[in-house]
C-alpha cells in the first residue's frame, strides 16, 4: 500500500496463515487531531522536561504533574477514563523519563495491563515531545510484547485482542522507516516464541 491514506500501515500475520494479527499505522496528528481520534486506549508518553501546550491533554498532564499524581519518571503511569475533550475511551499517561529506548520500554511495561484489558482493539501511541525513531520502534515492540498470547498448540487459548496500533505524531518524516521495520521485528520474535 503506497497511497497516502494508508502509507505507513503494516500488518503482522499469524504463524502459518495470512490472518492479520495487528496493524501498525503512522499518522500525522496534531493536538486537535489526537483529541478527536477515536480509540479504545490512548497511551500518552511524557518525558522529562515536559512543557504543556494549550490542548486539553497537555493541560490535563500538567495538572496531574502539579498535583503529584503523576511523574515523568520511566515506568510511572496514571489511568484516566472518558476524559472530557478526548475521544479515546481510556487514557494512560506514561512517564517516559529521558525518552531513551530503555525508558520507553519501562513505560510500555507499565501499560501492559491496560493493553491486555478487554475491549482493547484500537490503541493510539502519542508523545508529549517529539519521539526518536528508536523510541517509536521500541514502543511498537513493547506493545506487541505486552499483548502476545501463545495460541499455536493450545485449543482454548485466547488470541490477542489488539488489532490496530496507531502512532500519532506531528511530524512523520523521520519515523516512517521505524514503523515499517517494526512488524518484521515483531513477527520474527513471535515466530521464535512459537
Amino acid at each position: 500500500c503506497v497511497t497516502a491514506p494508508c502509507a505507513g500501515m503494516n500488518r503482522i500475520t499469524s504463524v502459518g496463515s495470512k490472518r492479520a494479527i495487528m496493524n501498525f499505522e503512522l499518522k500525522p496528528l496534531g493536538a486537535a487531531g489526537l483529541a478527536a481520534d477515536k480509540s479504545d486506549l490512548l497511551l500518552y508518553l511524557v518525558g522529562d522536561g515536559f512543557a504543556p501546550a494549550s490542548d486539553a491533554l497537555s493541560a490535563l498532564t500538567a495538572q496531574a504533574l502539579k498535583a503529584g499524581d503523576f511523574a515523568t519518571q520511566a515506568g510511572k503511569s496514571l489511568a484516566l477514563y472518558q476524559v472530557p475533550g478526548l475521544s479515546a475511551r481510556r487514557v494512560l499517561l506514561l512517564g517516559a523519563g529521558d525518552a531513551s529506548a530503555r525508558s520507553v520500554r519501562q513505560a510500555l511495561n507499565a501499560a501492559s495491563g491496560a493493553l491486555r484489558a478487554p475491549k482493547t482493539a484500537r490503541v493510539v501511541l502519542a508523545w508529549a515531545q517529539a519521539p526518536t525513531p528508536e523510541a517509536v520502534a521500541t514502543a511498537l515492540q513493547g506493545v506487541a510484547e505486552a499483548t502476545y498470547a501463545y495460541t499455536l498448540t493450545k485449543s482454548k487459548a485466547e488470541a490477542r485482542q489488539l488489532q490496530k496500533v496507531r502512532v500519532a505524531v506531528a511530524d512523520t518524516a523521520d519515523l516512517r522507516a521505524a514503523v515499517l521495520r517494526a512488524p518484521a521485528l515483531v513477527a520474527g520474535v513471535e515466530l521464535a516464541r512459537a
Side-chain angles (χ1 to χ4, degrees):
C1 182
V2 292
T3 59
C6 58
M9 183 182 270
N10 270 322
R11 298 179 199 276
I12 300 173
T13 57
S14 64
V15 177
S17 77
K18 295 296 180 189
R19 184 178 57 85
I21 295 174
M22 185 178 1
N23 289 334
F24 290 153
E25 180 183 4
L26 180 62
K27 188 168 184 180
L29 284 178
L34 187 59
D37 195 40
K38 291 187 178 184
S39 64
D40 299 317
L41 176 63
L42 169 61
L43 299 176
Y44 192 61
L45 286 93
V46 183
D48 295 336
F50 168 74
S54 60
D55 62 287
L57 191 54
S58 289
L60 180 70
T61 304
Q63 201 173 28
L65 285 166
K66 185 177 180 182
D69 294 325
F70 176 66
T72 61
Q73 180 183 352
K76 299 292 183 183
S77 65
L78 179 62
L80 308 165
Y81 184 70
Q82 293 185 339
V83 177
L86 298 176
S87 295
R89 187 166 46 94
R90 291 177 291 135
V91 176
L92 189 59
L93 302 180
L94 297 171
D98 62 1
S100 66
R102 181 175 184 217
S103 295
V104 169
R105 182 165 299 282
Q106 286 177 317
L108 268 292
N109 285 343
S112 64
L115 288 164
R116 287 181 166 266
K119 298 182 182 180
T120 304
R122 295 166 304 172
V123 170
V124 173
L125 269 171
W127 279 261
Q129 299 101 329
T132 64
E134 294 79 22
V136 170
T138 300
L140 292 174
Q141 290 170 14
V143 167
E145 220 173 81
T147 59
Y148 175 77
Y150 180 81
T151 60
L152 192 61
T153 59
K154 292 185 176 182
S155 61
K156 294 186 180 185
E158 290 188 29
R160 169 188 280 143
Q161 291 184 9
L162 183 59
Q163 297 170 358
K164 187 177 207 172
V165 179
R166 179 175 295 144
V167 177
V169 291
D171 183 20
T172 62
D174 295 338
L175 306 176
R176 185 171 308 283
V179 173
L180 290 173
R181 271 194 308 268
L185 291 170
V186 170
V189 168
E190 292 190 359
L191 178 64
R193 284 179 153 184

